[in-house]
Amino acid sequence: MFKGKKIFRPPYLEKGDKVALVSPAYWVPQEVLSQAAETIRGWGFQPVIGPHTNNLNVNAYAGTAEERAADLLWALEDDSIKAIICSRGGYGSIHILNRIPQETYLAHPKWLIGHGDVTTLLHTIVSSDVMCVHGPMAFQMAGRQELATNITRDILFGTIPQYEVCSNDYNHCGHAEGILVGGNLSSYSSVVGTQFHIPPQQDIILFIEEVEESLHNIDRLFCHLRLQMDFEHVKGVILGSFSSIRFDLQFGSVEQMLTAHLAQYDIPVCCGFPVGSNSCIPLIEGAPCSLDVTTEKSVLTFNIDGERQSYNLVSDSRQLFR
């Protein structure tokens, strides 16, 4: 069994529960939030939209840092709200980390969903001993019912996925157990080594993805992780999607470059997992999980209570976000 403290699972939802839409980073048009609210209403929940989400600041953010933090704090402290979905990422979530008392997440445990720049918030929540979901955001849910959205809905109701992906030439076989953490590499690396990082003695399975970066910058960020983290407790690695990458180094792929760094560790490595900006299969961060990588396939299992649903992400790939 892996080493580490227990991470609290927020309660699953029931029909009629309230779900908040907040914007901790970039702004999205109000009509997009309204469309996402209709999707959430179709799930049987009551959507409520943060009061400051329409406050465009410096032509980028959804309000000032104080306003964005106020919306998140409102959604956390209102116990009638059972889950929080972020509208989009972009940049800006890091502005509000110090504006939310860390004890608030455990005092009012509820599912928070997002990815990309929201990675900084997700990791802060896990470091506060609460699970969360790295998954699709409101702008992706607006008017759409695709596989990633539907799995996210099912997680909120208590159906836990198990994922199977095909083999990859850069995989490294093995079995690993730990809590799942990670996300967007740029955003994740910005909190590693800070007060918002999980304790160094925690066994983890690390997953990363990236978009619109150069190979040399991905290399630098990954080296930063290796310097800041105790890789003795990294028991497995999942490499997600790396899209719109600038190839300024002579590697054939991001996977080729990163697995060269990982070759010194005798841990399983799963490449090509559909998590990132182009596809956002939801992952339960902070959940104890197991990763099994063989020559035929890789399987990710979340070891928490709930009903079970298996997904072969090869045969289901046509339904993923693109």
Side-chain angles (χ1 to χ4, degrees), residues 183 185 188 206-210 222 225 238-242 258:
L185 179 59
Y188 181 69
L206 174 69
F207 75 96
I208 57 173
E209 55 86 13
E210 192 52 270
F222 193 75
L225 289 187
I238 297 172
L239 300 181
S241 68
F242 297 89
L258 294 185

Side-chain angles (χ1 to χ4, degrees), residues 21 25 27 48 68 89-90 98 136 140 142 176 219 233-234 296-297 304:
L21 294 169
W27 176 88
V48 290
R68 286 178 276 134
N98 280 325
Q140 294 164 307
D219 184 86
H233 290 280
V234 177
E296 293 81 25
K297 62 185 179 182
I304 60 176

